[in-house]
Amino acid sequence: GPVTQQFRGLSGVSQGVVIARINNDISLTAFESNVLNLLKDVEDLYWELSLAYRRWDSAVTARDSAHRSWQDTKTIIDAGGLPQVPGRVSPTPADEAQTRDNYFRTRASTESALARLYATETAFRRLIGLPVNDGTILRPTDEPVTAKFVPDWKSCLIEAMVERVELRRQKWGIKSLQLQLKAAS
């Protein structure tokens, strides 16, 4: 480290060129970690938006099916019932009320799914820096991968030991402390 005492680091030990470089590398890992977290958040919200669209699509299908069922039941009751066939029972006004209730329940579910979709899209837009109301619709085009995934745990462990930002930061922190101890000695 330098001979003068005005360049002391946070630890009170003179910060040499190597220690300063290691500290710079440690601060770069903080930036790298933030970038990786942002990418993970973007990917998570992308797939959450995809799921919101799937939920909304299925809610619309259920709503339309419930509406058709209600309309068919109402049409049969208004026409005076089904022709008399042994083993077949005509719907009653209670059945019509039940199918109508089911339709309104599925309609409310559809509106709730649409509200969740809008909230997810807004969160995604804010995360990636797009305006909330620019008039475009963000709809994921990728389909989730359905292939079976069998991880190779040994290679995952080796890759993690080499590539993980947190582990590299800790290794550099240890190296910096070792050099500071040497400088203090």
Side-chain angles (χ1 to χ4, degrees):
V3 176
T4 67
Q5 297 302 316
Q6 66 184 7
F7 295 109
R8 291 174 113 36
L10 295 175
S11 63
V13 176
S14 299
Q15 301 292 300
V17 174
V18 176
I19 295 172
R21 184 169 182 209
I22 289 173
N23 290 340
N24 186 42
D25 288 341
I26 291 172
S27 65
L28 285 175
T29 60
F31 174 74
E32 184 179 350
S33 177
N34 289 337
V35 169
L36 290 173
N37 287 337
L38 175 65
L39 287 174
K40 182 189 178 311
D41 290 345
V42 167
E43 184 178 5
D44 288 348
L45 266 176
Y46 177 86
W47 291 115
E48 195 173 320
L49 183 62
S50 177
L51 179 61
Y53 268 107
R54 284 178 178 257
R55 285 181 178 157
W56 181 69
D57 288 340
S58 62
V60 166
T61 302
R63 180 202 61 200
D64 293 346
S65 176
H67 187 257
R68 275 192 308 276
S69 177
W70 174 39
Q71 292 301 321
D72 291 346
T73 304
K74 188 170 176 12
T75 302
I76 291 170
I77 290 173
D78 290 345
L82 294 171
Q84 294 295 335
V85 175
R88 184 167 51 175
V89 179
S90 290
T92 64
D95 294 332
E96 188 268 336
Q98 185 177 11
T99 56
R100 182 180 59 231
D101 180 59
N102 186 37
Y103 164 67
F104 286 117
R105 205 173 334 111
T106 56
R107 191 172 93 176
S109 175
T110 302
E111 291 169 2
S112 176
L114 185 61
R116 284 193 303 268
L117 185 140
Y118 287 152
T120 305
E121 183 180 352
T122 299
F124 186 65
R125 285 176 171 279
R126 287 186 175 149
L127 184 65
I128 60 176
L130 290 177
V132 175
N133 54 359
D134 64 356
T136 61
I137 296 173
L138 298 181
R139 183 167 185 143
T141 57
D142 295 331
E143 291 295 321
V145 177
T146 58
K148 184 177 180 181
F149 177 68
V150 180
D152 179 12
W153 294 110
K154 188 173 184 176
S155 67
C156 288
L157 179 63
I158 292 169
E159 185 177 344
M161 296 300 279
V162 174
E163 299 293 330
R164 292 295 297 200
V165 175
E166 301 85 9
L167 294 178
R168 283 189 284 140
R169 185 181 316 140
Q170 290 298 324
K171 287 177 186 177
W172 285 332
I174 291 169
K175 184 66 174 173
S176 175
L177 291 173
Q178 287 172 341
L179 291 173
Q180 289 176 31
L181 177 64
K182 186 176 179 181
S185 298

